[in-house]
Every structure is written in structure tokens, then in C-alpha cells.
């Protein structure tokens, strides 16, 4: 009999938060499809997980429609179903320098990957998610809500992602739910393709400035994804969930 375990697809899942999510779901009996642009990260991800039969990796650029169409066809052929789709792929570096020198191409690259990629993934996942009554989770950022200087393209792409998410929720309900997560600082150094065996420890002040007492880990985001794609969250759609150790609730004035 075909394997009936639920299938989750995670974009940008070969390293960083997405790889942490892949690990989290594999450990809980899900079958996991990872789409990623980076061939080296895909290779090292397979190696790190021991290439289990419950994991399928596909090299894809989520900002290109033909690639997305063919990756989804491959994913569904492999899994036989699709229960959850997480748009996590992104250019995670927010700093594009002063607006006066921000090239249109740099702006466009972030919008294409972080926002258009999520649109394309949603568009082509929906027929499969309708069948499974599944759900979409988009990984936005607290930078959709607040900013440091010189992050216009990144902030706009993530703000757009939150808006895309509530629009999807209204269009796709009740069959398909859509939510977003806005992580704060998540330490991904141990989850990169070229990760040092032991990354330099973060400082005490890195941790202590968080009301939660520590910087985030990929599992903190994965746990929220797990809730949102579960039947327990069937009354939850169109929302954005901040997972940031409390940082966006903290007032910061210098003396
Ligand atoms: P990362 O750089 O470690 O991982 C991102 C992954 O996405 C990489 O494997 C990369 O190859 C892949 N990717 C990039 N462009 C792609 C494309 N066009 N098609 C397919 N795959 C592509 O970054 P990290 O930190 O794990 O971030 C993951 C997501 O979480 C991003 O959307 C980022 O904006 C968001 N985020 C991260 C935070 C953090 O503190 N690490 C905080 C808030 C949001």
C-alpha cells in the first residue's frame, strides 16, 4: 500500500530555518519535500539527513513559473498528495544599503524571491491542497512590522507576504487555510551548508535583550508551523504569528 503519511513541502529547505523545519517534520513522521535553489546545500542536506526515504529534494528557483510547475508535479508524483506548503525560501539578508543607491535589480531580486516566489508556490499548490484540505504557511519577518535603516526591499517583500497571506485565506477558505509567521532573530549558523562544526557562541547580551531570554532557533519556527498545519488550527486562517522572543513588544529608548 502507498505510504499515507502526510506530505509537507518546504521551499528554501536545504539550509537555515527551512532545514530545521525539515528535520522537525521528519522526526514527527511526515514525508518532506524540499525545494531549494542551492545545489551544494541540497547535496549537504541529503548527506546530513542520511538521505532517508521520507525526504525528497528538488533543485528549483521559486521565482520562475515553469520551474515551480515542474517541481510541484515532481513533488506530488513522489508524495501522492500534498498536505502543507511552506514558503520559506528567501534572500534573508535585509540590508540593501541607502535608498539613493538601491539598484532596481536588487529591489526586484528580493521581491521576486521573497514575494513572487510565494505567489507562484501558492498558485500551483492550491489544486493539491484543496484535495487534502491542506494549508499554506508563508514565512515573513518581524521586519514587515518594524525596521532598521536600509532594508526597504526586504521589508516591502515581507509586508507584501503578510498581505498575500490574508488575501489567500479569504479566496481559498474553507478548503485551504493560509497563515504567515514572522520570525525575529533566528540563529541559523548551525544549519547552513558550510556550517562550522561549532559556531562561535552568541554573546550574553544577544540572548538577554530578548524578553524570552534567548535568541531563536529554527525549531521555534517549526513548532509554530506544526501547529498551523495541524487540525487543531482549523479555526485559524489569514493571520500573522510573530515568533520573536518578545522583541517586537519591547520599547527601546536610549537614556
Ligand atoms: P538561509 O539563507 O539560511 O536559507 C534560505 C534558503 O532559501 C537557502 O537554502 C537558499 O538557497 C534558498 N533560496 C533562496 N532563494 C531561493 C529561490 N529563488 N528559490 C529556491 N530557494 C531559494 O535563510 P534563513 O535565515 O534560514 O531564512 C529563511 C526564511 O526566513 C527567509 O524567508 C528569511 O527571510 C526568513 N527570516 C529569517 C530570519 C532569521 O533570523 N534567520 C528572521 C526572519 C525571517
Amino acid at each position: 500500500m502507498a505510504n499515507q503519511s502526510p506530505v509537507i513541502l518546504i521551499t528554501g529547505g536545504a539550509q537555515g530555518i527551512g532545514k530545521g523545519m525539515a528535520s522537525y517534520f521528519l522526526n514527527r513522521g511526515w514525508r518532506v519535500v524540499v525545494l531549494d535553489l542551492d545545489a551544494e546545500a541540497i547535496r549537504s542536506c541529503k548527506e546530513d539527513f542520511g538521505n532517508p526515504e521520507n525526504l525528497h529534494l528538488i533543485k528549483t528557483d521559486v521565482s520562475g513559473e515553469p520551474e515551480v510547475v515542474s517541481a510541484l508535479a515532481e513533488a506530488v508524483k513522489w508524495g501522492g498528495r500534498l498536505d502543507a506548503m511552506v514558503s520559506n525560501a528567501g534572500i534573508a539578508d535585509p540590508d540593501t544599503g541607502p535608498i539613493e543607491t538601491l539598484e532596481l535589480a536588487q529591489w526586484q531580486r528580493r521581491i521576486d524571491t521573497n514575494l513572487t516566489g510565494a505567489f507562484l508556490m501558492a498558485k500551483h499548490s492550491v489544486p493539491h491542497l484543496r484535495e487534502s484540505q491542506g494549508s499554506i504557511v508563508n514565512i515573513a519577518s518581524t521586519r514587515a512590522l518594524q525596521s532598521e535603516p536600509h532594508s526597504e526591499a526586504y521589508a516591502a517583500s515581507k509586508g507584501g507576504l503578510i498581505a498575500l497571506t490574508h488575501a489567500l485565506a479569504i479566496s481559498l477558505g474553507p478548503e485551504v487555510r493560509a497563515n504567515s509567521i514572522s520570525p525575529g532573530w533566528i540563529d541559523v549558523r548551525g544549519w547552513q551548508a558550510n556550517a562550522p562544526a561549532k559556531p562561535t557562541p552568541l554573546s550574553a547580551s544577544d540572548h538577554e535583550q530578548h524578553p524570552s531570554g534567548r535568541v531563536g532557533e529554527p525549531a521555534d519556527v517549526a513548532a509554530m508551523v506544526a501547529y498551523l498545519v495541524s487540525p487543531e488550527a482549523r479555526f485559524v486562517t489569514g493571520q500573522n504569528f510573530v515568533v520573536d522572543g518578545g522583541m517586537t513588544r519591547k520599547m527601546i529608548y536610549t537614556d
Side-chain angles (χ1 to χ4, degrees):
M1 208 177 90
N3 189 336
Q4 289 304 305
S5 312
V7 175
I8 186 167
L9 185 155
I10 303 166
T11 70
Q15 59 193 340
I17 295 174
K19 185 177 178 187
M21 276 181 215
S23 167
Y24 190 97
F25 280 88
L26 284 170
N27 287 335
R28 285 160 181 78
W30 286 64
R31 289 179 293 149
V32 177
V33 179
V34 160
L35 269 50
D36 205 291
L37 180 63
D38 184 331
E40 166 57 19
I42 287 179
R43 195 199 52 72
S44 93
C45 183
K46 263 188 198 161
E47 206 175 282
D48 290 351
F49 286 133
N51 207 10
E53 62 175 23
N54 282 353
L55 174 67
H56 189 70
L57 296 107
I58 307 171
K59 183 178 176 322
T60 314
D61 180 347
V62 295
S63 66
E65 190 157 24
E67 282 196 48
V68 165
V69 169
S70 101
L72 269 159
E74 181 177 333
V76 173
K77 188 167 175 217
W78 175 80
R81 55 188 289 161
L82 183 63
D83 299 275
M85 194 284 290
V86 184
S87 268
N88 161 79
I91 299 173
D93 179 3
D95 191 346
T96 38
I99 183 84
E100 296 91 331
T101 55
L102 172 55
E103 298 287 344
L104 179 58
Q106 270 181 299
W107 165 274
Q108 202 70 60
R109 212 174 135 242
R110 276 169 176 73
I111 301 291
D112 284 353
T113 300
N114 298 4
L115 180 56
T116 309
F119 150 64
L120 291 173
M121 287 303 304
K123 175 179 172 184
H124 295 289
S125 298
V126 159
H128 310 294
L129 293 171
R130 276 197 207 282
E131 266 181 47
S132 62
Q133 309 258 300
S135 89
I136 293 172
V137 179
N138 291 322
I139 304 302
S141 168
T142 49
R143 287 170 187 270
L145 312 171
Q146 56 180 172
S147 292
E148 288 180 304
H150 307 152
S151 58
E152 280 73 15
Y154 185 85
S157 72
K158 295 298 189 177
L161 200 45
I162 292 177
L164 169 67
T165 306
H166 62 66
L168 288 170
I170 301 311
S171 305
L172 302 177
E175 292 89 359
V176 178
R177 294 180 299 104
N179 292 287
S180 63
I181 298 174
S182 285
W185 179 0
I186 307 297
D187 183 17
V188 294
R189 295 169 307 154
W191 294 88
Q192 303 302 88
N194 50 5
K198 278 208 173 130
T200 326
L202 296 170
S203 70
S205 77
D206 290 337
H207 290 298
E208 284 161 7
Q209 65 184 295
H210 288 76
S212 62
R214 67 165 174 84
V215 169
E217 300 163 2
D220 297 319
V221 181
M224 181 59 88
V225 175
Y227 167 67
L228 290 173
V229 303
S230 74
E232 280 72 32
R234 60 188 165 263
F235 194 52
V236 179
T237 192
Q239 300 302 319
N240 177 55
F241 294 87
V242 173
V243 177
D244 72 342
M247 285 300 275
T248 48
R249 287 301 189 205
K250 186 173 160 184
M251 259 178 206
I252 302 172
Y253 293 115
T254 49
D255 290 333

mmCIF file of all heavy atoms in Angstrom, residues 168-196:
data_model
loop_
_atom_site.group_PDB
_atom_site.id
_atom_site.type_symbol
_atom_site.label_atom_id
_atom_site.label_comp_id
_atom_site.label_asym_id
_atom_site.label_seq_id
_atom_site.Cartn_x
_atom_site.Cartn_y
_atom_site.Cartn_z
ATOM 1 N N LEU A 168 -5.048 35.267 0.340
ATOM 2 C CA LEU A 168 -5.197 33.829 0.033
ATOM 3 C C LEU A 168 -6.222 33.180 0.964
ATOM 4 O O LEU A 168 -7.059 32.370 0.525
ATOM 5 C CB LEU A 168 -3.855 33.105 0.196
ATOM 6 C CG LEU A 168 -2.784 33.373 -0.868
ATOM 7 C CD1 LEU A 168 -1.441 32.783 -0.426
ATOM 8 C CD2 LEU A 168 -3.202 32.796 -2.222
ATOM 9 N N ALA A 169 -6.158 33.544 2.241
ATOM 10 C CA ALA A 169 -7.069 32.926 3.216
ATOM 11 C C ALA A 169 -8.519 33.193 2.840
ATOM 12 O O ALA A 169 -9.379 32.301 2.950
ATOM 13 C CB ALA A 169 -6.776 33.463 4.621
ATOM 14 N N ILE A 170 -8.782 34.409 2.378
ATOM 15 C CA ILE A 170 -10.171 34.763 2.046
ATOM 16 C C ILE A 170 -10.600 34.085 0.738
ATOM 17 O O ILE A 170 -11.724 33.619 0.605
ATOM 18 C CB ILE A 170 -10.319 36.307 1.949
ATOM 19 C CG1 ILE A 170 -9.930 36.957 3.278
ATOM 20 C CG2 ILE A 170 -11.738 36.696 1.543
ATOM 21 C CD1 ILE A 170 -10.571 36.360 4.521
ATOM 22 N N SER A 171 -9.671 34.006 -0.224
ATOM 23 C CA SER A 171 -10.023 33.386 -1.508
ATOM 24 C C SER A 171 -10.155 31.868 -1.405
ATOM 25 O O SER A 171 -10.950 31.270 -2.125
ATOM 26 C CB SER A 171 -8.952 33.690 -2.558
ATOM 27 O OG SER A 171 -8.758 35.073 -2.676
ATOM 28 N N LEU A 172 -9.357 31.247 -0.552
ATOM 29 C CA LEU A 172 -9.226 29.780 -0.596
ATOM 30 C C LEU A 172 -10.035 29.037 0.466
ATOM 31 O O LEU A 172 -10.178 27.816 0.387
ATOM 32 C CB LEU A 172 -7.754 29.368 -0.471
ATOM 33 C CG LEU A 172 -6.810 29.943 -1.536
ATOM 34 C CD1 LEU A 172 -5.378 29.502 -1.251
ATOM 35 C CD2 LEU A 172 -7.236 29.497 -2.935
ATOM 36 N N GLY A 173 -10.541 29.794 1.471
ATOM 37 C CA GLY A 173 -11.327 29.113 2.506
ATOM 38 C C GLY A 173 -12.650 28.644 1.938
ATOM 39 O O GLY A 173 -13.111 29.205 0.957
ATOM 40 N N PRO A 174 -13.319 27.680 2.525
ATOM 41 C CA PRO A 174 -12.880 26.961 3.723
ATOM 42 C C PRO A 174 -11.947 25.774 3.444
ATOM 43 O O PRO A 174 -11.439 25.185 4.376
ATOM 44 C CB PRO A 174 -14.204 26.459 4.324
ATOM 45 C CG PRO A 174 -15.098 26.259 3.136
ATOM 46 C CD PRO A 174 -14.699 27.306 2.130
ATOM 47 N N GLU A 175 -11.723 25.446 2.156
ATOM 48 C CA GLU A 175 -10.931 24.221 1.905
ATOM 49 C C GLU A 175 -9.482 24.370 2.370
ATOM 50 O O GLU A 175 -8.903 23.456 2.953
ATOM 51 C CB GLU A 175 -10.915 23.854 0.414
ATOM 52 C CG GLU A 175 -12.239 23.391 -0.147
ATOM 53 C CD GLU A 175 -13.060 24.552 -0.667
ATOM 54 O OE1 GLU A 175 -12.601 25.719 -0.571
ATOM 55 O OE2 GLU A 175 -14.177 24.318 -1.154
ATOM 56 N N VAL A 176 -8.887 25.535 2.035
ATOM 57 C CA VAL A 176 -7.455 25.709 2.296
ATOM 58 C C VAL A 176 -7.264 26.906 3.227
ATOM 59 O O VAL A 176 -7.799 27.983 2.972
ATOM 60 C CB VAL A 176 -6.692 25.962 0.961
ATOM 61 C CG1 VAL A 176 -5.207 26.194 1.225
ATOM 62 C CG2 VAL A 176 -6.894 24.781 0.006
ATOM 63 N N ARG A 177 -6.502 26.712 4.300
ATOM 64 C CA ARG A 177 -6.170 27.820 5.201
ATOM 65 C C ARG A 177 -4.805 28.391 4.833
ATOM 66 O O ARG A 177 -3.948 27.668 4.300
ATOM 67 C CB ARG A 177 -6.150 27.346 6.653
ATOM 68 C CG ARG A 177 -7.516 26.917 7.171
ATOM 69 C CD ARG A 177 -7.489 26.449 8.618
ATOM 70 N NE ARG A 177 -6.625 25.290 8.816
ATOM 71 C CZ ARG A 177 -5.429 25.326 9.364
ATOM 72 N NH1 ARG A 177 -4.912 26.459 9.824
ATOM 73 N NH2 ARG A 177 -4.699 24.222 9.491
ATOM 74 N N ALA A 178 -4.604 29.679 5.109
ATOM 75 C CA ALA A 178 -3.302 30.313 4.846
ATOM 76 C C ALA A 178 -2.950 31.238 6.006
ATOM 77 O O ALA A 178 -3.768 32.066 6.421
ATOM 78 C CB ALA A 178 -3.360 31.114 3.545
ATOM 79 N N ASN A 179 -1.752 31.074 6.543
ATOM 80 C CA ASN A 179 -1.254 31.920 7.628
ATOM 81 C C ASN A 179 0.199 32.276 7.361
ATOM 82 O O ASN A 179 0.873 31.600 6.570
ATOM 83 C CB ASN A 179 -1.359 31.183 8.970
ATOM 84 C CG ASN A 179 -2.803 30.973 9.401
ATOM 85 O OD1 ASN A 179 -3.486 31.903 9.819
ATOM 86 N ND2 ASN A 179 -3.288 29.734 9.269
ATOM 87 N N SER A 180 0.669 33.317 8.024
ATOM 88 C CA SER A 180 2.101 33.620 7.933
ATOM 89 C C SER A 180 2.708 33.639 9.326
ATOM 90 O O SER A 180 2.002 33.827 10.331
ATOM 91 C CB SER A 180 2.348 34.949 7.214
ATOM 92 O OG SER A 180 1.777 36.016 7.930
ATOM 93 N N ILE A 181 4.023 33.437 9.347
ATOM 94 C CA ILE A 181 4.801 33.530 10.585
ATOM 95 C C ILE A 181 5.851 34.611 10.370
ATOM 96 O O ILE A 181 6.499 34.644 9.318
ATOM 97 C CB ILE A 181 5.492 32.183 10.911
ATOM 98 C CG1 ILE A 181 4.455 31.090 11.135
ATOM 99 C CG2 ILE A 181 6.410 32.326 12.121
ATOM 100 C CD1 ILE A 181 5.048 29.692 11.327
ATOM 101 N N SER A 182 6.000 35.471 11.349
ATOM 102 C CA SER A 182 7.050 36.493 11.278
ATOM 103 C C SER A 182 8.095 36.198 12.350
ATOM 104 O O SER A 182 7.918 36.559 13.524
ATOM 105 C CB SER A 182 6.454 37.884 11.493
ATOM 106 O OG SER A 182 5.756 38.284 10.338
ATOM 107 N N PRO A 183 9.179 35.540 11.958
ATOM 108 C CA PRO A 183 10.231 35.280 12.936
ATOM 109 C C PRO A 183 11.017 36.552 13.238
ATOM 110 O O PRO A 183 11.153 37.435 12.389
ATOM 111 C CB PRO A 183 11.146 34.256 12.249
ATOM 112 C CG PRO A 183 10.412 33.789 11.024
ATOM 113 C CD PRO A 183 9.490 34.913 10.656
ATOM 114 N N GLY A 184 11.556 36.589 14.458
ATOM 115 C CA GLY A 184 12.569 37.594 14.793
ATOM 116 C C GLY A 184 13.934 36.994 14.501
ATOM 117 O O GLY A 184 14.109 36.273 13.510
ATOM 118 N N TRP A 185 14.873 37.240 15.401
ATOM 119 C CA TRP A 185 16.246 36.759 15.192
ATOM 120 C C TRP A 185 16.305 35.252 15.443
ATOM 121 O O TRP A 185 16.122 34.789 16.564
ATOM 122 C CB TRP A 185 17.184 37.512 16.133
ATOM 123 C CG TRP A 185 18.626 37.113 16.061
ATOM 124 C CD1 TRP A 185 19.213 36.169 15.263
ATOM 125 C CD2 TRP A 185 19.686 37.663 16.854
ATOM 126 N NE1 TRP A 185 20.556 36.112 15.499
ATOM 127 C CE2 TRP A 185 20.882 37.024 16.473
ATOM 128 C CE3 TRP A 185 19.733 38.651 17.843
ATOM 129 C CZ2 TRP A 185 22.109 37.323 17.054
ATOM 130 C CZ3 TRP A 185 20.957 38.957 18.429
ATOM 131 C CH2 TRP A 185 22.125 38.300 18.030
ATOM 132 N N ILE A 186 16.557 34.506 14.381
ATOM 133 C CA ILE A 186 16.694 33.047 14.477
ATOM 134 C C ILE A 186 18.142 32.703 14.103
ATOM 135 O O ILE A 186 18.603 33.037 13.005
ATOM 136 C CB ILE A 186 15.723 32.331 13.501
ATOM 137 C CG1 ILE A 186 14.267 32.801 13.694
ATOM 138 C CG2 ILE A 186 15.846 30.814 13.663
ATOM 139 C CD1 ILE A 186 13.634 32.513 15.040
ATOM 140 N N ASP A 187 18.835 32.050 15.014
ATOM 141 C CA ASP A 187 20.243 31.711 14.762
ATOM 142 C C ASP A 187 20.306 30.471 13.873
ATOM 143 O O ASP A 187 19.988 29.368 14.315
ATOM 144 C CB ASP A 187 20.953 31.450 16.097
ATOM 145 C CG ASP A 187 22.437 31.154 15.896
ATOM 146 O OD1 ASP A 187 22.967 31.467 14.810
ATOM 147 O OD2 ASP A 187 23.057 30.601 16.832
ATOM 148 N N VAL A 188 20.729 30.675 12.625
ATOM 149 C CA VAL A 188 20.733 29.560 11.661
ATOM 150 C C VAL A 188 22.150 29.087 11.341
ATOM 151 O O VAL A 188 22.334 28.251 10.462
ATOM 152 C CB VAL A 188 20.022 29.964 10.337
ATOM 153 C CG1 VAL A 188 18.535 30.206 10.569
ATOM 154 C CG2 VAL A 188 20.668 31.173 9.678
ATOM 155 N N ARG A 189 23.135 29.602 12.077
ATOM 156 C CA ARG A 189 24.524 29.311 11.672
ATOM 157 C C ARG A 189 24.847 27.822 11.698
ATOM 158 O O ARG A 189 25.629 27.350 10.895
ATOM 159 C CB ARG A 189 25.503 30.103 12.552
ATOM 160 C CG ARG A 189 25.362 31.612 12.355
ATOM 161 C CD ARG A 189 26.125 32.351 13.417
ATOM 162 N NE ARG A 189 25.738 31.890 14.740
ATOM 163 C CZ ARG A 189 26.516 31.950 15.806
ATOM 164 N NH1 ARG A 189 27.728 32.459 15.723
ATOM 165 N NH2 ARG A 189 26.088 31.500 16.974
ATOM 166 N N GLY A 190 24.223 27.083 12.592
ATOM 167 C CA GLY A 190 24.482 25.635 12.652
ATOM 168 C C GLY A 190 23.716 24.854 11.586
ATOM 169 O O GLY A 190 23.868 23.639 11.484
ATOM 170 N N TRP A 191 22.905 25.544 10.799
ATOM 171 C CA TRP A 191 22.043 24.861 9.826
ATOM 172 C C TRP A 191 22.407 25.217 8.389
ATOM 173 O O TRP A 191 21.644 24.936 7.469
ATOM 174 C CB TRP A 191 20.577 25.228 10.089
ATOM 175 C CG TRP A 191 20.090 24.702 11.400
ATOM 176 C CD1 TRP A 191 20.170 25.313 12.604
ATOM 177 C CD2 TRP A 191 19.453 23.438 11.639
ATOM 178 N NE1 TRP A 191 19.625 24.519 13.585
ATOM 179 C CE2 TRP A 191 19.175 23.358 13.013
ATOM 180 C CE3 TRP A 191 19.090 22.361 10.813
ATOM 181 C CZ2 TRP A 191 18.558 22.249 13.602
ATOM 182 C CZ3 TRP A 191 18.472 21.266 11.393
ATOM 183 C CH2 TRP A 191 18.217 21.215 12.767
ATOM 184 N N GLN A 192 23.584 25.843 8.212
ATOM 185 C CA GLN A 192 23.992 26.230 6.866
ATOM 186 C C GLN A 192 24.798 25.101 6.217
ATOM 187 O O GLN A 192 25.409 24.284 6.901
ATOM 188 C CB GLN A 192 24.851 27.503 6.901
ATOM 189 C CG GLN A 192 24.168 28.697 7.559
ATOM 190 C CD GLN A 192 22.851 29.084 6.904
ATOM 191 O OE1 GLN A 192 21.804 28.566 7.263
ATOM 192 N NE2 GLN A 192 22.887 29.970 5.951
ATOM 193 N N ALA A 193 24.821 25.098 4.865
ATOM 194 C CA ALA A 193 25.539 24.056 4.132
ATOM 195 C C ALA A 193 27.010 24.019 4.536
ATOM 196 O O ALA A 193 27.605 22.964 4.662
ATOM 197 C CB ALA A 193 25.401 24.302 2.643
ATOM 198 N N ASN A 194 27.594 25.200 4.764
ATOM 199 C CA ASN A 194 29.021 25.246 5.104
ATOM 200 C C ASN A 194 29.205 25.551 6.588
ATOM 201 O O ASN A 194 30.142 26.233 6.979
ATOM 202 C CB ASN A 194 29.717 26.312 4.251
ATOM 203 C CG ASN A 194 28.948 27.631 4.309
ATOM 204 O OD1 ASN A 194 27.960 27.737 5.055
ATOM 205 N ND2 ASN A 194 29.380 28.622 3.547
ATOM 206 N N ALA A 195 28.264 25.034 7.406
ATOM 207 C CA ALA A 195 28.278 25.391 8.838
ATOM 208 C C ALA A 195 29.551 24.910 9.522
ATOM 209 O O ALA A 195 29.965 23.771 9.326
ATOM 210 C CB ALA A 195 27.068 24.767 9.533
ATOM 211 N N PRO A 196 30.146 25.778 10.362
ATOM 212 C CA PRO A 196 31.239 25.304 11.196
ATOM 213 C C PRO A 196 30.689 24.283 12.188
ATOM 214 O O PRO A 196 29.515 24.383 12.575
ATOM 215 C CB PRO A 196 31.708 26.571 11.922
ATOM 216 C CG PRO A 196 30.577 27.547 11.806
ATOM 217 C CD PRO A 196 29.764 27.153 10.592
#
